[in-house]
CSV table of all heavy atoms in Angstrom, one decimal:
chain,number,residue,atom,x,y,z
A,37,PHE,N,-4.0,0.0,0.8
A,37,PHE,CA,-5.3,-0.5,1.2
A,37,PHE,C,-5.7,-1.7,0.3
A,37,PHE,O,-5.2,-1.9,-0.8
A,37,PHE,CB,-6.4,0.6,1.0
A,37,PHE,CG,-6.3,1.7,1.9
A,37,PHE,CD1,-5.3,2.7,1.8
A,37,PHE,CD2,-7.2,1.9,3.0
A,37,PHE,CE1,-5.2,3.8,2.7
A,37,PHE,CE2,-7.1,2.9,3.9
A,37,PHE,CZ,-6.1,3.9,3.7
A,45,ARG,N,-13.3,-1.4,2.3
A,45,ARG,CA,-11.8,-1.2,2.1
A,45,ARG,C,-11.1,-1.1,3.4
A,45,ARG,O,-11.6,-0.5,4.4
A,45,ARG,CB,-11.6,0.2,1.3
A,45,ARG,CG,-10.2,0.5,0.9
A,45,ARG,CD,-10.2,1.7,0.1
A,45,ARG,NE,-10.8,2.9,0.7
A,45,ARG,CZ,-11.1,4.0,0.1
A,45,ARG,NH1,-10.9,4.1,-1.2
A,45,ARG,NH2,-11.6,5.0,0.8
A,99,SER,N,-1.0,10.5,1.7
A,99,SER,CA,-1.6,11.3,2.7
A,99,SER,C,-2.0,12.7,2.2
A,99,SER,O,-1.3,13.2,1.2
A,99,SER,CB,-0.7,11.5,3.9
A,99,SER,OG,0.5,12.1,3.6
A,100,LYS,N,-3.0,13.3,2.7
A,100,LYS,CA,-3.4,14.7,2.3
A,100,LYS,C,-2.4,15.7,2.7
A,100,LYS,O,-2.1,16.6,2.0
A,100,LYS,CB,-4.7,15.0,3.0
A,100,LYS,CG,-5.9,14.3,2.4
A,100,LYS,CD,-7.2,14.8,3.1
A,100,LYS,CE,-8.4,14.1,2.5
A,100,LYS,NZ,-9.7,14.4,3.2
A,107,THR,N,0.0,7.5,8.7
A,107,THR,CA,-1.4,7.8,8.6
A,107,THR,C,-2.2,6.5,8.5
A,107,THR,O,-1.9,5.7,7.6
A,107,THR,CB,-1.7,8.7,7.3
A,107,THR,OG1,-0.8,9.8,7.4
A,107,THR,CG2,-3.1,9.1,7.1
A,108,THR,N,-3.3,6.4,9.3
A,108,THR,CA,-4.0,5.2,9.4
A,108,THR,C,-5.5,5.3,9.1
A,108,THR,O,-6.2,4.4,9.0
A,108,THR,CB,-3.9,4.5,10.7
A,108,THR,OG1,-4.3,5.4,11.7
A,108,THR,CG2,-2.4,4.1,11.0
A,109,LYS,N,-6.0,6.6,8.9
A,109,LYS,CA,-7.4,6.8,8.6
A,109,LYS,C,-7.6,7.1,7.1
A,109,LYS,O,-6.9,7.9,6.5
A,109,LYS,CB,-7.9,8.0,9.4
A,109,LYS,CG,-7.8,7.8,10.9
A,109,LYS,CD,-8.4,9.0,11.7
A,109,LYS,CE,-8.4,8.8,13.2
A,109,LYS,NZ,-8.9,10.0,13.9
A,110,SER,N,-8.5,6.4,6.5
A,110,SER,CA,-8.8,6.5,5.1
A,110,SER,C,-9.1,7.9,4.8
A,110,SER,O,-8.6,8.4,3.7
A,110,SER,CB,-10.0,5.7,4.8
A,110,SER,OG,-10.3,5.8,3.4
A,111,ALA,N,-9.8,8.7,5.6
A,111,ALA,CA,-10.1,10.1,5.3
A,111,ALA,C,-8.9,11.0,5.3
A,111,ALA,O,-9.0,12.1,4.7
A,111,ALA,CB,-11.1,10.6,6.4
A,112,ASP,N,-7.8,10.5,5.8
A,112,ASP,CA,-6.6,11.4,5.8
A,112,ASP,C,-5.7,11.1,4.6
A,112,ASP,O,-4.6,11.7,4.4
A,112,ASP,CB,-5.7,11.1,7.0
A,112,ASP,CG,-6.4,11.6,8.3
A,112,ASP,OD1,-7.2,12.6,8.2
A,112,ASP,OD2,-6.2,11.1,9.4
A,113,PHE,N,-6.2,10.3,3.7
A,113,PHE,CA,-5.4,10.1,2.4
A,113,PHE,C,-6.2,10.8,1.3
A,113,PHE,O,-7.4,10.7,1.2
A,113,PHE,CB,-5.4,8.6,2.1
A,113,PHE,CG,-4.5,7.8,2.9
A,113,PHE,CD1,-4.9,7.2,4.1
A,113,PHE,CD2,-3.1,7.6,2.6
A,113,PHE,CE1,-4.0,6.5,4.9
A,113,PHE,CE2,-2.2,6.9,3.4
A,113,PHE,CZ,-2.7,6.3,4.6
A,114,GLY,N,-5.4,11.6,0.5
A,114,GLY,CA,-6.0,12.4,-0.5
A,114,GLY,C,-5.8,12.0,-1.9
A,114,GLY,O,-6.6,12.5,-2.8
A,116,TRP,N,-5.3,8.6,-4.7
A,116,TRP,CA,-5.4,7.2,-4.8
A,116,TRP,C,-5.0,6.7,-6.1
A,116,TRP,O,-5.2,7.4,-7.1
A,116,TRP,CB,-6.9,6.8,-4.5
A,116,TRP,CG,-7.3,7.1,-3.1
A,116,TRP,CD1,-7.8,8.3,-2.7
A,116,TRP,CD2,-7.4,6.2,-2.0
A,116,TRP,NE1,-8.1,8.3,-1.3
A,116,TRP,CE2,-7.9,7.0,-0.9
A,116,TRP,CE3,-7.1,4.9,-1.8
A,116,TRP,CZ2,-8.1,6.4,0.4
A,116,TRP,CZ3,-7.3,4.3,-0.6
A,116,TRP,CH2,-7.8,5.1,0.5
Side-chain angles (χ1 to χ4, degrees):
F37 289 77
R45 184 174 60 192
S99 63
K100 287 181 179 178
T107 304
T108 60
K109 297 181 180 179
S110 179
D112 291 336
F113 288 88
W116 297 81

